[in-house]
Amino acid sequence: MIIEVEGLRRRFKAVTAVDGLTFTIPAGAAVGYIGANGAGKSTTIKMLTGILKPTEGVARTCGLEPLRHRRQLARRIGVVFGQRSQLWWDLPLRDSFRALAAIHRLARPAAASRLAELAERLDLGEFLDTPVRQLSLGQRIRGEVAAALLHSPELLILDEPTIGLDVLSKERLRVFLIEQRALHGTSLFLATHDMDDVHRLTERVLVVDHGRLAFDGTLAGLTEQVGAERIVVLDLTEPAGPLDGVPGARLAGVEGGGLRQRLSFRPGETTVAAILTAVAARAQVHDLTIEEPDIEAVVRRLYLSREPRS
């Protein structure tokens, strides 16, 4: 297992930030760790990386106890905190990479080869000789990710890596991370508020609520558990009347005088094929798309379902 957590708990005075977490993550997995502000995400990561000592319970990362084997663990993981830097602020980016290569005891040829690969894939070449303090946020985050991956770690832990980035920078980073996992089999543990990150980068989701694990499964499973609806968008060859009354579906909207119609449905109650069959008897479909439920809304509904009712 790349990560093993059993009964993990961390208290801060009167506050229990992480409360009895238990989960395992196998090597090679990509897991999203999501929850509201204050849910315990960053505290969990600090215990997984040896920054904080658990009040109770046991955590193992790459088979090691993080606090006891912090130096050995540092050679096997890479960590990026979106709002903190591991780069030297006044040095050119290239010098930070040289220092980190020395810290990780990388041979010069291996370090040069790895840096060349990362620089190419993250487009770092034009600002490698620029002091970190002069980099834009998007450039700095790419530099942070490259620094975390310089020593080819088994596990990459990201805590809000795309916070504050523009749409283009976010997409560039996501594409790179997908490529790295495909090329090197790197495990990924991603804590984020950005649901697009979770959707694009992960295969499994852990939802934490007030320090406790509220859900462990796939995004599709999370959506089904809270009863969230998908929407099939139908573009018709000719305008048609409202397509209401389709079994298992609800008319969610009509546009263009009936040329485009939206039908919402719950996956457990019907299928897209069944909806198309019913619609085909009333109108000719030119094209269709499926809109997935908004993940933030899904998580919000999960939280609401867990709140005690008065």
Side-chain angles (χ1 to χ4, degrees), residues 233-241 243 254-262 284-287:
V233 182
L234 301 167
D235 290 317
L236 309 179
T237 57
E238 296 179 357
L243 296 172
V254 178
E255 303 171 18
L259 271 175
R260 169 173 287 184
Q261 306 206 23
R262 299 172 181 268
Q284 186 173 356
V285 178
H286 172 69
D287 196 8

Side-chain angles (χ1 to χ4, degrees), residues 227-234 241-254 260-267 269-272 274-276 278-279 282 291 293 301:
E229 296 181 334
R230 302 173 75 193
I231 294 179
V232 56
V233 182
L234 301 167
L243 296 172
D244 47 10
V246 174
R250 176 179 60 84
L251 183 64
V254 178
R260 169 173 287 184
Q261 306 206 23
R262 299 172 181 268
L263 299 176
S264 66
F265 67 98
R266 293 184 178 181
E269 297 178 1
T270 188
T271 64
V272 175
I275 292 173
L276 279 177
V279 169
R282 299 165 58 180
E291 293 181 353
R301 291 180 67 170

Side-chain angles (χ1 to χ4, degrees), residues 204-216:
R204 175 181 166 196
V205 178
L206 302 175
V207 182
V208 63
D209 179 21
H210 293 92
R212 297 182 178 182
L213 193 63
F215 179 84
D216 180 356

Side-chain angles (χ1 to χ4, degrees), residues 39-168:
K41 301 187 300 299
S42 293
T43 301
T44 303
I45 287 176
K46 289 174 183 176
M47 288 189 286
L48 291 177
T49 55
I51 297 172
L52 282 179
K53 180 181 179 181
T55 306
E56 297 176 25
V58 177
R60 293 183 183 86
T61 305
C62 299
L64 302 171
E65 290 187 31
L67 197 62
R68 181 181 297 179
H69 303 108
R70 192 170 176 182
R71 288 188 178 182
Q72 298 96 310
L73 183 59
R75 297 190 180 100
R76 300 176 62 180
I77 65 172
V79 185
V80 174
F81 290 98
Q83 296 179 319
R84 296 189 183 121
S85 180
Q86 61 188 315
L87 304 172
W88 280 261
W89 200 244
D90 293 315
L91 295 180
L93 186 59
R94 189 189 302 275
D95 288 353
S96 286
F97 291 142
R98 286 173 179 161
L100 289 166
I103 289 171
H104 289 292
R105 301 178 183 176
L106 300 180
R108 286 189 178 182
S113 175
R114 181 62 168 155
L115 178 55
E117 176 192 356
L118 293 169
E120 178 184 358
R121 295 188 177 276
L122 282 167
D123 295 326
L124 305 179
E126 63 183 26
F127 53 86
L128 274 174
D129 295 308
T130 302
V132 171
R133 58 183 165 75
Q134 294 180 11
L135 300 179
S136 68
L137 178 60
Q139 290 171 335
R140 184 178 66 79
I141 292 297
R142 279 185 276 157
E144 297 282 359
V145 171
L149 289 170
L150 186 63
H151 57 298
S152 301
E154 302 167 38
L155 169 65
L156 178 62
I157 298 177
L158 303 176
D159 188 6
E160 301 290 356
T162 62
I163 190 169
L165 296 186
D166 58 59
V167 174
L168 182 59

Side-chain angles (χ1 to χ4, degrees), residues 172-185:
R172 179 182 293 168
L173 183 56
R174 289 169 187 151
V175 169
F176 167 76
L177 291 172
I178 291 169
E179 289 178 348
Q180 283 295 294
R181 289 197 62 234
L183 287 170
H184 301 286

